[in-house]
Amino acid sequence: MWTSTLAIIVLVGAIGTVGTLVVSALADDALVSESPADAETPDAVELIEFADDEPAATAGSEPCTDVSVLSSFENAGMVESLAAAYNASPRNVAGSCVTVSASKEKSGLAASLVAAGFPSLADDAKPEIWLPDATTWLDVAADEGATSLRADGVSTGVSNVVLAMPEPLAAAIGWDAEPPTWAEVFDAAADADLWNNLGHPEWGAFKLGKTSPLMATSGEAAMFVSFGASAGDVATLTAAQVEDPAIEDEVREHELATSHYMATPEHFLWHARQAEDTGGSSADFLSAVIVDEKSVWDYNRGITSRDGITRVEGEPPAEQLVPIYPVDGYFAADNPAMRLTGDWIDPVESEAAADFVRFLRTAQGQEAVRAAGYRDLNGMLSGDVAEVGNLAQSPTATLALPAADVVTAVHASFPDVRKRANVLFLVDVSGSMDEKISASDTKLTAAQDAIALALDHFTTGDQVGLAAFAQAPDGAMVPGTLSEVSDIESSRDGFLTALDGITSMGDTPLYQAVDTFAAQQAESWSSDRINAIVLLSDGENDAPNAPTIGADEMLENLGELHHTTPVLIFTLAYGADADVDTLKSISSATGAHYYDATDPTEVEAVLGDLVTSF
């Protein structure tokens, strides 16, 4: 038997082509590696020897050729670090200096943009390289008709997608010492009395956090392991199994433990930290979340982000996250660097892009990968990253990502198997909604158009309703409920008719509206649904014609509901005069998320992002 430390990593040689390399560990105390237990000694096993970078002796002439790299939200920090490392040395490609710049987008949206050829961007703003955090997004883009992907993509670094739990919870269930199978994870999540039976009734129900598989790799991985566990083996999942009605039914049951879906792992981790920072415990928001190792490292060193864009560094949390590596396997985000083709890319830009891709796999590039919290292409982590992130030095069951037909089958299945929603759209219709934001739109008409488009996210079985609020001269809150919360299959036409008929009027009884409609939604609360309100407001509480509830009382009532019949209130600040602080406090009190459309022309995109939570 092979007694040295070994590592398994995933390498991407082309779209949909995945190979496995087993390598021995480096004798470097600053690095740690993955190691399968009791692995047989393979033939010709050796480490990748990363060549040194070969920058130019002097930089080429200006203006520099710009190489734009589009990353995912999850791996944006790594890509930015790689760009900075490349830019720090002189480059000369075809006589020109080179500057690499980075942008980021949610994985699912980026795949669609690649497939469409970036129609809203000018040619000089389109990327030359796409570096999603997993090969699966190449499959999604190809399925959507992408023609700009070259067949020579290469992996840049690796981050395993694991189950992460607050340390006290992991210890209480024993998974910090003996990792479970994925089937055991889903069984535990379905047990309403689990924490009570383990002596911790204060933790409530098991709350499992997942991102949307249509937006993020961790959400995809969560669905892969859910289908795999239901089929009997997460490592050998097939498209036929994904489409099997009996397996779909079991996955549908798994999804009932999901609190709600979010667009990025950082959304969940931000809320967990907020729960701790406001005097509670991260267990108030989540019991476990399916997330990549790098995000665990960020969280444990005190870095969080409300929106996935702006990162805030604070003190490390008192309750550290523990990554759990299920014994039947977990998938690895493999970060493929894909050069694009298109008529916006000239030959020099193409050559410069190739030089940056070459740099990614040099010793200096891989050093930047490790420093950014990722495993390099030998499976190695920085020692500091492993220690702070509590990351396993030798996890044993990394899985190659599923084949393209499995990926597309899982994406296609999600609208049917996801947890259904019980959602009320609650719209501020005070007089300020008449404000013009373009030659053809007021804030109200733009909001109506955005809500109509967002309605397309919901499918049969989702219960959706519409209400609006303003204060009339006599002090009454008007107009109130416009379309009852009911199955969208039968109520869609009525909802759209009611939406089209909204007019602006009166003042803004924000606190009263939130308090009233949250209580109404709580009356129809169901553990089998995501119970929520989507609140869109363009102003501050302003109710001069009759006394209404105050902010403190409203928040206290929301807190009480959160412990019994929790209603998530997703708040959307609409326009520059929106009361951002109050809207943030409302969403935080309910464990939901705040969204920023203070530029009202962005309401369609922001609301489209918001409804991925359902």
Side-chain angles (χ1 to χ4, degrees):
M1 302 294 282
W2 185 251
T3 56
S4 298
T5 305
L6 303 176
I8 296 176
I9 68 168
V10 177
L11 297 179
V12 179
I15 299 174
T17 301
V18 179
T20 305
L21 175 66
V22 183
V23 295
S24 59
L26 287 175
D28 184 341
D29 292 338
L31 304 178
V32 296
S33 73
E34 298 186 81
S35 173
D38 299 324
E40 295 292 339
T41 305
D43 294 331
V45 173
E46 60 183 34
L47 288 168
I48 298 172
E49 293 187 11
F50 302 119
D52 281 332
D53 182 28
E54 297 180 357
T58 58
S61 62
E62 296 184 353
C64 292
T65 297
D66 180 61
V67 173
S68 175
V69 183
L70 175 63
S71 73
S72 298
F73 273 34
E74 292 89 335
N75 65 357
M78 179 183 72
V79 175
E80 290 165 3
S81 295
L82 285 162
Y86 179 84
N87 292 338
S89 296
R91 307 293 170 183
N92 187 330
V93 173
S96 171
C97 55
V98 179
T99 301
V100 173
S101 60
S103 62
K104 57 188 172 184
E105 184 54 272
K106 297 177 184 69
S107 296
L109 296 179
S112 295
L113 289 171
V114 170
F118 309 95
S120 64
L121 296 181
D123 283 355
D124 61 358
K126 295 179 180 180
E128 286 73 36
I129 296 172
W130 180 29
L131 212 164
D133 61 331
T135 310
T136 50
W137 299 107
L138 312 182
D139 300 327
V140 172
D143 186 60
E144 294 183 13
T147 60
S148 60
L149 296 173
R150 294 172 58 96
D152 57 357
V154 295
S155 179
T156 303
V158 176
S159 191
N160 294 316
V161 180
V162 299
L163 187 77
M165 301 182 73
E167 193 169 21
L169 281 70
I173 199 171
W175 289 350
D176 57 341
E178 293 188 25
T181 65
W182 282 109
E184 289 170 336
V185 171
F186 293 120
D187 286 346
D191 184 352
D193 296 320
L194 175 73
W195 295 129
N196 185 60
N197 291 339
L198 290 173
H200 291 282
E202 72 276 13
W203 292 341
F206 194 108
K207 297 175 282 290
L208 181 60
K210 299 179 185 177
T211 54
S212 167
L214 305 182
M215 289 290 135
T217 298
S218 59
E220 280 190 323
M223 294 304 297
F224 297 153
V225 296
S226 181
F227 274 103
S230 300
D233 187 355
V234 296
T236 60
L237 182 63
T238 66
Q241 290 172 326
V242 173
E243 295 161 358
D244 183 318
I247 292 174
E248 281 190 330
D249 285 344
E250 187 168 338
V251 170
R252 199 173 286 112
E253 288 296 313
H254 291 170
E255 293 305 295
L256 296 181
T258 304
S259 55
H260 59 291
Y261 307 96
M262 286 187 169
T264 73
E266 290 168 313
H267 286 68
F268 274 105
L269 298 180
W270 183 86
H271 280 288
R273 184 58 192 266
Q274 286 294 298
E276 180 182 300
D277 287 350
T278 53
S281 163
S282 54
D284 295 337
F285 181 73
L286 61 80
S287 300
V289 59
I290 297 175
V291 70
D292 60 286
E293 291 175 308
K294 190 265 183 186
S295 293
V296 176
W297 172 61
D298 275 344
Y299 185 84
N300 285 349
R301 62 195 180 114
I303 293 179
T304 56
S305 174
R306 175 194 288 271
D307 56 9
I309 299 172
T310 303
R311 292 157 59 82
V312 176
E313 184 172 357
E315 292 297 318
E319 294 178 343
Q320 295 269 295
L321 286 180
V322 175
I324 309 296
Y325 298 82
V327 295
D328 49 344
Y330 39 86
F331 294 98
D334 53 0
N335 298 279
M338 302 299 300
R339 291 168 59 200
L340 301 177
T341 62
D343 56 13
W344 67 88
I345 302 174
D346 66 35
V348 176
E349 289 171 334
S350 180
E351 188 176 345
D355 190 58
F356 179 64
V357 171
R358 172 201 59 80
F359 170 78
L360 302 179
R361 297 165 70 87
T362 64
Q364 289 74 21
Q366 291 295 290
E367 181 181 1
V369 166
R370 292 191 300 271
Y374 287 78
R375 298 181 187 271
D376 67 17
L377 295 178
N378 281 326
M380 305 297 174
L381 282 170
S382 159
D384 288 344
V385 170
E387 180 179 0
V388 173
N390 296 319
L391 304 178
Q393 297 187 15
S394 53
T396 60
T398 303
L399 302 174
L401 291 165
D405 62 338
V406 176
V407 174
T408 54
V410 166
H411 275 249
S413 75
F414 180 66
D416 184 51
V417 302
R418 66 174 174 79
K419 190 173 183 178
R420 312 324 282 179
N422 175 17
V423 179
L424 176 72
F425 283 87
L426 179 58
V427 185
D428 178 348
V429 292
S430 56
S432 56
M433 290 289 281
D434 276 337
E435 179 185 334
K436 279 275 195 180
I437 60 172
S438 71
S440 58
D441 273 320
T442 64
K443 285 198 285 190
L444 179 58
T445 59
Q448 289 169 308
D449 291 343
I451 293 171
L453 285 173
L455 204 64
D456 291 340
H457 175 82
F458 299 97
T459 58
T460 300
D462 289 316
Q463 295 180 347
V464 186
L466 176 67
F469 66 94
Q471 188 176 71
D474 65 359
M477 187 171 66
V478 292
T481 300
L482 300 173
S483 178
E484 295 288 345
V485 177
S486 57
D487 195 318
I488 197 63
E489 181 182 30
S490 57
S491 66
R492 187 181 300 269
D493 290 345
F495 182 107
L496 291 172
T497 298
L499 178 66
D500 188 55
I502 292 176
T503 57
S504 61
M505 62 190 83
D507 298 306
T508 312
L510 176 62
Y511 305 155
Q512 181 187 9
V514 169
D515 191 67
T516 298
F517 287 105
Q520 288 185 15
Q521 280 293 89
E523 290 177 0
S524 61
W525 182 88
S526 168
S527 62
D528 291 345
R529 292 181 175 274
I530 299 170
N531 303 274
I533 291 173
V534 175
L535 169 64
L536 185 152
S537 177
D538 78 329
E540 299 181 355
N541 186 76
D542 178 24
N545 297 320
T548 64
I549 186 172
D552 290 344
E553 185 180 355
M554 170 195 66
L555 293 172
E556 182 179 350
N557 291 344
L558 292 178
E560 291 176 0
L561 287 179
H562 187 60
H563 291 293
T564 54
T565 51
V567 176
L568 302 164
I569 303 181
F570 297 88
T571 58
L572 192 155
Y574 187 41
D577 296 327
D579 186 350
V580 169
D581 289 340
T582 295
L583 294 174
K584 286 181 177 179
S585 69
I586 291 169
S587 60
S588 293
T590 66
H593 213 66
Y594 159 82
Y595 290 81
D596 185 350
T598 48
D599 177 352
T601 63
E602 296 181 354
V603 65
E604 183 178 307
V606 173
L607 191 55
D609 185 13
L610 189 158
V611 295
T612 63
S613 295
F614 308 117

